[in-house]
Amino acid sequence: MSLLPIAPAYRQLGSSGLAISPIAWGMWRLADDGATAADASKLIHTALDAGITLFDTADIYGFDGTGGFGDAEALLGEVLHAEPALRGRMVLATKGGIAPPSPYDQSPHYLAKAIDASLKRLQTDAVDLWQIHRPDILAHPHEVARALDNAVMAGKVRALGVSNFTMPQVAALNHFLDHKLVTTQPEISPLRIDSFENGELDQAMMLGLTPMAWSPLGGGQLLDPKTPRGIAVAAALDAVATPRGISRSVAAYSWLMAHPAGIVPIIGSQNPARVAEGAAAGAVQWSRTDWYAVLVAARGVKLP
Ligand code: NAP
């Protein structure tokens, strides 16, 4: 049986020189349900103690349609203020560029303001990774690149990334940047497999970008699939998970991590036990046959 390599304990975040764990923890849902700084602190300690060092947030996290913009960053900032030593243990990533109700703004003035506002809420001098959350079609990539390069040169941002960009959008922005992109963040999961065949992961490998997978469990749908396709994908994951005594979520994370692009799944759970459990995904090794069985279940049609 041909086995795929397991993820290394640490990998580089693109060409940034920053070492990261092969799996990340995300804070999209951190400020939901009235979470306190004590709740946030517990989750951050759990993730760090489990070996997770890459933390992903965004300025929009916490926004509920009317208010709450910046709430997730502010909660993390409270924790970092109370426990400053935590900052040095994490590679901190945030995002900006979604500007309700515009809906997007990547004008140089807005970007400069958004980065400063994030640093203030996070109570830190610099973030390790700053990502454009969604592309602003009205922004010229040359102007965007200038604003982002300025943020790097000012020491506010160590490295740059994008999320939800098309491949031409990645290429155009990277063309104009002096400080080249190190990450891309598309939605990838066993239920969302577009990146495997549409060239996004090939582009990431070609440019040396680390792909960070958002919603790696399909926002939780993988745990409670309702469609015949979802049920088939869950069954293909369980065929590997059950005999090994691991959960379907760990099987899903490790399935993503087995791809040669070095996909970093972003755990979305805000349940400490599930966050800790997710960190174990790095130890799970896939055979080619089992890996392709999940892909075929997700495609719904056999490979040629
Ligand atoms: P996900 O891992 O696909 O889904 C997490 C959800 O599944 C949580 O609500 C979690 O609830 C639920 N869940 C149910 N059973 C679970 C189990 N056994 N194990 C783990 N989770 C279970 O991820 P996500 O939250 O949608 O997204 C992950 C991260 O991706 C976000 O935090 C954010 O950093 C990033 N993201 C980025 C974008 C973007 O546009 N760039 C968009 C969305 C997300 P519990 O909390 O109760 O466990």
Side-chain angles (χ1 to χ4, degrees):
M1 189 168 47
S2 166
L3 292 175
L4 302 174
I6 57 169
Y10 285 94
R11 58 172 30 129
Q12 297 291 314
L13 188 69
S15 57
S16 66
L18 294 162
I20 52 156
S21 52
I23 191 160
W25 177 62
M27 285 167 262
W28 177 25
R29 303 170 195 272
L30 179 66
D32 295 357
D33 306 326
T36 62
D39 299 323
S41 169
K42 183 172 179 188
L43 282 159
I44 291 161
H45 277 280
T46 302
L48 286 169
D49 293 349
I52 297 171
T53 61
L54 179 58
F55 287 68
D56 182 67
T57 188
D59 57 10
I60 189 89
Y61 292 171
F63 184 70
D64 64 3
T66 51
F69 189 94
D71 279 4
E73 283 188 338
L75 260 185
L76 174 57
E78 268 188 67
V79 176
L80 294 178
H81 181 71
E83 302 174 72
L86 292 179
R87 178 67 188 89
R89 294 174 65 193
M90 63 177 64
V91 173
L92 177 55
T94 194
K95 318 179 194 74
I98 299 182
S102 306
Y104 309 126
D105 194 344
Q106 276 134 49
S107 59
H109 176 68
Y110 178 84
L111 288 178
K113 249 183 26 187
I115 291 169
D116 284 347
S118 283
L119 294 181
K120 193 165 176 207
R121 282 188 292 265
L122 290 164
Q123 307 207 34
T124 189
D125 294 336
V127 288
D128 299 298
L129 177 68
W130 196 87
Q131 306 155 93
I132 300 181
H133 206 154
R134 286 191 177 272
D136 172 10
I137 289 155
L138 297 177
H140 194 297
H142 196 177
E143 295 285 294
V144 177
R146 209 167 39 118
L148 297 183
D149 278 328
N150 284 344
V152 175
M153 285 183 301
K156 297 176 181 181
V157 166
R158 300 215 164 86
L160 299 166
V162 290
S163 184
N164 305 302
F165 267 44
T166 65
M167 289 177 280
Q169 287 167 340
V170 169
L173 178 59
N174 220 31
H175 170 78
F176 289 113
L177 279 169
D178 290 334
H179 301 87
K180 300 294 183 197
L181 296 171
V182 303
T183 59
T184 181
Q185 189 180 131
E187 180 180 4
I188 323 175
S189 78
L191 295 174
R192 185 64 178 260
I193 55 168
D194 309 33
S195 299
F196 290 116
E197 295 187 71
N198 71 5
E200 280 172 7
L201 290 171
D202 304 285
Q203 183 190 45
M205 290 187 279
M206 194 172 77
L207 297 178
L209 310 179
T210 295
M212 297 167 66
W214 68 258
S215 291
L217 306 178
Q221 286 177 59
L222 201 51
L223 284 312
D224 186 20
K226 306 272 193 234
T227 62
R229 173 177 173 261
I231 291 166
V233 172
L237 288 166
D238 289 350
V240 169
T242 309
R244 298 191 195 191
I246 58 171
S247 68
R248 187 185 300 161
S249 12
V250 168
Y253 302 140
S254 62
W255 184 77
L256 296 174
M257 291 158 86
H259 189 276
I263 296 172
V264 174
I266 311 172
I267 298 174
S269 178
Q270 306 298 306
N271 170 318
R274 289 176 177 167
V275 174
E277 180 201 30
V284 180
Q285 193 164 24
W286 281 78
S287 72
R288 272 176 187 279
T289 315
D290 290 339
W291 197 94
Y292 273 110
V294 175
L295 187 77
V296 167
R299 290 172 112 244
V301 282
K302 286 192 176 151
L303 286 158

